[in-house]
Amino acid sequence: MLKVKAWTVVFFLAIAACGIFFLQSYVVSAQTVDTIADIPMPKVEKPLLILTPAIEIFNIASCSTKDIGFSIASAKIPPGGGPMPHVHYFINEWFWTPEGGIELYSSVRQFPNIKEAPTQDAAGKTKLHIINMKPQQVVYSPKHHVHGFTNSTTKTLPITFVWLKDKVAPDFPFHDGGMREYFTDSGVRIADLNNLPKVTDASRAAFVNLAPKYGINQSAYFLQYVSTITDKVPDELAKLKNDQDLGKVIKVIKAFNQGDKSVSCS
Amino acid sequence: MLKVKAWTVVFFLAIAACGIFFLQSYVVSAQTVDTIADIPMPKVEKPLLILTPAIEIFNIASCSTKDIGFSIASAKIPPGGGPMPHVHYFINEWFWTPEGGIELYSSVRQFPNIKEAPTQDAAGKTKLHIINMKPQQVVYSPKHHVHGFTNSTTKTLPITFVWLKDKVAPDFPFHDGGMREYFTDSGVRIADLNNLPKVTDASRAAFVNLAPKYGINQSAYFLQYVSTITDKVPDELAKLKNDQDLGKVIKVIKAFNQGDKSVSCS
């Protein structure tokens, strides 16, 4: 009897060990969602309104000081809006979703070479992880990961993007790593928010074809860079944070809004 | 010593049992890929050439007898071409890829009600399974599953579609379940294969908006119907076959091509 009991114990210990081993691949750490109450827009004289080829309604501005350069867009995403998967090489990005509802996705795998896009015939396609954004959630997404998002709901949702110039970026007119210049070059100017222009074929083509000039590989169709998609978010992604630089960005915007002449925003 | 040995045996038996249990979810049966050497096109007087809004170059025809009605398209898919995920309600479909290379995807889950689309706000989004098509592979995809495909390679690839009228379909002019009528209504006629027309915004909108009239729910953006994507193909999908009806279709086409007046093709 004792012997049988010992066997039983060993049997269940083995099952438990094995279970832990197999379940590890599914473990999503009890993530505390990072939230932030507000990311203010710089109060510039003439706000620049752009409809991007990815059906995003942007109010976009750029700021720079002697130490830092970035662009920021306070955006509205209509149902179905959002860019196809893409990779940045010149900037690091934050996504902030005041109301949540946006489906953000990102690869763990990095693609450090702009000449080796994540396509079947170049660096190979990648797995994506979907993050269902919560209200006020902020996600940091540094260069070299494939990422993008979509609004799969039936109502227009707000999202704010911050694109911080990376040290490897060449100098662009707004000293921001090129994102404002990219959207100006590929998007359509909005004259009246109540009467949106149409996204043109030329605009859609420019969004993909001009991307490398601005340090981006932009896919032209959804599965071009994508092999599989999961709703599990692994630790490698969940732990990506850069609160320090986001803090600097917000400080610079607040300084500008309070009249600090060492900050230039437009 | 004996006792320890027994423990060891039990331990490894437990690990093995547990391993089998967990691995079951990954098991893809040793699938024999179904292939077919040829699906002939009916030799009609004036072939109908259409560029679909999903960037597919179609040579499409319809045949009917007193017993059966179907449409068939011998198509070329340029890089990036292929429809967004969609669901059929009036037809059952076969895909045949003479050279392989196409990524076909399908849901296991069925959406039997055309008024309950697989969207977040209606029936809910679905998991998709990717099938990397082999040369000459044929896949049967009956109504009610979400499916679609893409060409992620850098060369144009051939694919043949057969759409067989389901018994629930209303009568359309070509007695085919409505697919020829749908592509005629939403696509752009090709006058010269060496000088393809452009897909227009109106054509893209019609592809989505007219779909229900032809027994289809057609998504407007990739993630509209899709929650996750895996490259595992479960048995429920792999076992879907309908060789008998495909045999009938081929027999009808061959009869027409040999002058059988009981078959009408155009």
Side-chain angles (χ1 to χ4, degrees):
Chain A
M1 273 305 275
L2 251 176
K3 210 170 154 187
V4 170
K5 264 193 192 163
W7 282 21
T8 314
V9 169
V10 172
F11 185 82
F12 281 104
L13 277 178
I15 291 279
C18 173
I20 288 166
F21 176 78
F22 278 99
L23 286 175
Q24 264 188 337
S25 53
Y26 291 100
V27 165
V28 175
S29 58
Q31 287 156 29
T32 51
V33 168
D34 285 311
T35 61
I36 190 167
D38 189 33
I39 299 182
M41 274 298 283
K43 291 173 184 142
V44 301
E45 242 172 77
K46 285 191 183 171
L48 175 58
L49 303 178
I50 291 174
L51 178 66
T52 80
I55 325 176
E56 306 157 296
I57 300 157
F58 273 16
N59 173 3
I60 187 169
S62 317
C63 297
S64 60
T65 70
K66 63 180 176 49
D67 302 318
I68 197 172
F70 59 88
S71 280
I72 178 169
S74 168
K76 303 276 184 202
I77 312 299
M84 299 283 180
H86 58 276
V87 189
H88 294 286
Y89 299 87
F90 294 167
I91 58 92
N92 302 289
E93 183 167 8
W94 289 266
F95 298 94
W96 178 59
T97 52
E99 298 177 14
I102 296 281
E103 285 171 77
L104 196 69
Y105 48 77
S106 179
S107 68
V108 168
R109 188 175 160 197
Q110 296 186 51
F111 296 85
N113 186 349
I114 195 169
K115 303 229 158 127
E116 295 273 328
T119 58
Q120 186 168 305
D121 294 292
K125 304 212 265 180
T126 187
K127 182 178 191 171
L128 293 180
H129 303 266
I130 289 192
I131 302 168
N132 290 298
M133 296 292 280
K134 299 284 175 293
Q136 301 196 327
Q137 186 171 0
V138 63
V139 165
Y140 178 58
S141 190
K143 63 182 180 178
H144 299 171
H145 296 267
V146 175
H147 73 188
F149 67 89
T150 191
N151 175 3
S152 296
T153 76
T154 49
K155 61 175 210 164
T156 295
L157 291 171
I159 185 169
T160 291
F161 311 91
V162 174
W163 300 282
L164 179 65
K165 178 184 185 300
D166 189 85
K167 60 184 184 301
V168 303
D171 197 27
F172 285 94
F174 289 91
H175 317 297
D176 66 336
M179 291 304 287
R180 182 210 184 112
E181 295 82 351
Y182 171 57
F183 288 114
T184 306
D185 213 358
S186 62
V188 184
R189 281 290 288 273
I190 300 172
D192 175 4
L193 276 170
N194 296 313
N195 189 11
L196 291 177
K198 279 207 182 344
V199 171
T200 62
D201 282 340
S203 172
R204 273 186 282 258
F207 197 60
V208 173
N209 299 331
L210 299 180
K213 178 176 165 189
Y214 300 102
I216 302 160
N217 274 320
Q218 173 63 56
S219 61
Y221 56 96
F222 196 86
L223 292 178
Q224 191 172 16
Y225 294 175
V226 180
S227 55
T228 59
I229 308 182
T230 166
D231 51 10
K232 309 285 184 298
V233 182
D235 268 354
E236 297 105 295
L237 279 182
K239 77 179 181 200
L240 290 174
K241 288 177 204 295
N242 184 355
D243 293 347
Q244 202 182 356
D245 282 334
L246 184 58
K248 276 187 206 165
V249 162
I250 293 174
K251 208 171 148 187
V252 164
I253 295 170
K254 285 184 172 167
F256 175 79
N257 286 347
Q258 286 161 9
D260 184 336
K261 297 297 176 201
S262 75
V263 182
S264 158
C265 295
S266 61
Chain B
M1 274 303 278
L2 251 174
K3 208 169 157 186
V4 170
K5 264 193 193 162
W7 282 21
T8 314
V9 169
V10 171
F11 184 84
F12 282 103
L13 279 176
I15 291 278
C18 173
I20 287 165
F21 177 78
F22 277 98
L23 285 175
Q24 265 188 336
S25 53
Y26 290 101
V27 165
V28 174
S29 59
Q31 286 156 28
T32 50
V33 168
D34 284 311
T35 61
I36 190 166
D38 189 34
I39 299 182
M41 275 298 285
K43 291 175 185 141
V44 302
E45 239 174 80
K46 285 189 182 175
L48 175 58
L49 304 178
I50 291 174
L51 178 66
T52 80
I55 324 176
E56 306 157 296
I57 301 156
F58 273 15
N59 174 2
I60 187 169
S62 317
C63 296
S64 59
T65 69
K66 63 180 177 49
D67 302 317
I68 197 173
F70 60 88
S71 280
I72 177 169
S74 167
K76 303 276 183 200
I77 312 299
M84 299 284 180
H86 58 275
V87 188
H88 294 285
Y89 298 87
F90 294 167
I91 59 92
N92 303 290
E93 183 167 8
W94 290 264
F95 299 95
W96 177 59
T97 53
E99 298 177 15
I102 295 281
E103 286 171 77
L104 196 69
Y105 48 77
S106 179
S107 69
V108 169
R109 189 175 160 196
Q110 295 187 51
F111 296 85
N113 185 348
I114 195 168
K115 303 227 159 130
E116 295 272 330
T119 60
Q120 184 168 306
D121 295 292
K125 305 211 265 182
T126 186
K127 182 178 191 170
L128 293 181
H129 302 265
I130 289 192
I131 301 168
N132 289 298
M133 296 291 279
K134 299 284 176 291
Q136 301 195 327
Q137 186 172 358
V138 65
V139 166
Y140 177 59
S141 190
K143 63 181 180 178
H144 300 169
H145 296 267
V146 174
H147 73 188
F149 67 88
T150 191
N151 175 2
S152 296
T153 75
T154 50
K155 61 174 210 167
T156 296
L157 291 171
I159 186 168
T160 290
F161 310 90
V162 174
W163 300 283
L164 179 64
K165 179 183 185 300
D166 188 86
K167 60 185 183 299
V168 303
D171 196 27
F172 285 95
F174 290 90
H175 317 297
D176 65 337
M179 292 303 287
R180 182 210 184 113
E181 295 82 352
Y182 171 57
F183 289 114
T184 306
D185 213 359
S186 64
V188 184
R189 280 289 288 273
I190 300 172
D192 175 5
L193 276 170
N194 296 313
N195 190 12
L196 290 177
K198 280 206 184 340
V199 172
T200 62
D201 281 340
S203 172
R204 273 185 283 258
F207 197 60
V208 173
N209 299 331
L210 298 181
K213 179 177 164 189
Y214 300 102
I216 303 161
N217 274 320
Q218 172 62 57
S219 61
Y221 57 95
F222 196 87
L223 292 177
Q224 191 173 14
Y225 294 175
V226 180
S227 55
T228 60
I229 307 181
T230 168
D231 51 9
K232 308 286 184 297
V233 181
D235 268 355
E236 297 106 297
L237 279 182
K239 77 181 181 200
L240 291 174
K241 291 179 203 293
N242 184 354
D243 293 347
Q244 201 182 356
D245 282 334
L246 183 58
K248 276 187 206 163
V249 162
I250 293 174
K251 207 171 149 186
V252 164
I253 296 170
K254 285 183 173 168
F256 175 79
N257 287 347
Q258 286 161 10
D260 184 335
K261 298 297 175 201
S262 75
V263 181
S264 157
C265 295
S266 61

